[in-house]
């Protein structure tokens, strides 16, 4: 743990906050499609202690929300079989998108470790959690070039990186997601 100042305790720090904005950079990102990088993962127990999941962390790349974090939990042990089914399907979708179709048959520590740093597009929405608090939710993983993952393989999307208008401030659950492109020019095909 980092220590500040000479005292090392609560009375020993002196932080210069003059160049820091008082406005929070946290909170929700608007519903849209974002380019993200797969940063890290962990194997964790559920809060109830009755199951396990892979907790994955992603960072948005480019645009107004550059560096913001998104999280996904892939259930693989749970007393609810539907939770496991959804967790497996979403994990497979992510692995196929991140590997551009080169992986997806197995998921283990080594596979996920090899995918760290991979870039994918994610369709992000907003939903309410069990306590009624709004949270970002990754609805779908797409390949970096916008390919949709299906049981038949990767289906190419028309102009997936074409930037849309700036995302609306209010979440729109029924509206089609907008694409938020990175600030660098996307390659043309």
């Amino acid at each position: 743990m980092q220590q500040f100042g000479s005292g090392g305790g609560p009375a020993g720090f002196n932080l210069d906050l003059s160049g820091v904005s008082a406005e929070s950079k946290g909170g929700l990102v608007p519903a849209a499609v974002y380019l993200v990088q797969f940063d890290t993962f962990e194997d964790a127990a559920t809060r109830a202690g009755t199951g396990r999941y892979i907790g994955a962390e992603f960072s948005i790349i480019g645009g107004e929300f550059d560096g913001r974090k998104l999280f996904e939990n892939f259930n693989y042990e749970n007393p609810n079989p539907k939770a496991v089914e959804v967790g497996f399907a979403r994990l497979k979708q992510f692995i196929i998108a991140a590997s551009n179709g080169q992986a997806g048959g197995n998921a283990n520590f080594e596979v996920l470790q090899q995918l760290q740093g991979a870039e994918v597009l994610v369709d992000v929405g907003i939903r309410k959690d069990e306590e009624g608090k709004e949270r970002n939710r990754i609805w779908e993983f797409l390949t970096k070039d916008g390919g949709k993952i299906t049981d038949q393989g990767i289906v190419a999307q028309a102009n997936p990186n074409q930037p849309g208008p700036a995302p609306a401030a209010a979440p729109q659950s029924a509206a089609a997601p907008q694409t938020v492109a990175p600030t660098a020019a996307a390659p043309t095909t």
Side-chain angles (χ1 to χ4, degrees):
M1 177 173 274
Q2 184 176 5
Q3 294 184 356
F4 299 101
S6 60
F13 68 88
N14 182 14
L15 307 174
D16 179 8
L17 303 178
S18 61
V20 177
S21 171
E23 296 179 21
S24 172
K25 301 289 186 203
L28 300 174
V29 297
V33 174
Y34 297 94
L35 177 65
V36 298
Q37 176 178 301
F38 175 44
D39 294 329
T40 190
F41 66 96
E42 69 175 343
D43 180 12
T46 60
R47 276 184 271 175
T50 58
R52 298 199 65 78
Y53 64 91
I54 299 165
E57 180 180 304
F58 302 88
S59 294
I60 295 175
I61 300 172
E64 177 183 353
F65 302 104
D66 185 50
R68 293 282 296 276
K69 301 291 184 184
L70 296 170
F71 303 92
E72 180 67 26
N73 293 336
F74 303 105
N75 284 296
Y76 68 89
E77 283 181 16
N78 196 291
N80 179 347
K82 185 67 175 173
V84 174
E85 179 185 334
V86 170
F88 275 36
R90 294 181 54 70
L91 181 58
K92 183 173 184 175
Q93 185 185 66
F94 163 67
I95 290 172
I96 291 171
S99 68
N100 205 26
Q102 301 304 307
N106 288 314
N108 56 42
F109 181 84
E110 290 77 24
V111 168
L112 293 176
Q113 196 171 34
Q114 289 172 1
L115 292 175
Q116 285 181 296
E119 296 176 0
V120 296
L121 291 175
V122 292
D123 180 358
V124 175
I126 298 172
R127 70 171 178 94
K128 290 189 178 184
D129 66 13
E130 307 83 38
E131 292 133 17
K133 185 174 180 180
E134 288 187 333
R135 303 245 183 230
N136 280 122
R137 168 86 157 95
I138 296 174
W139 295 118
E140 184 174 29
F141 292 93
L142 306 163
T143 63
K144 186 177 175 181
D145 62 356
K148 185 174 180 67
I149 311 305
T150 70
D151 286 338
Q152 290 72 39
I154 298 173
V155 178
Q157 299 286 307
N159 300 322
N161 287 319
Q162 181 180 354
Q172 300 171 348
S173 58
Q178 300 163 340
T179 300
V180 178
T183 54
T188 59
T189 55

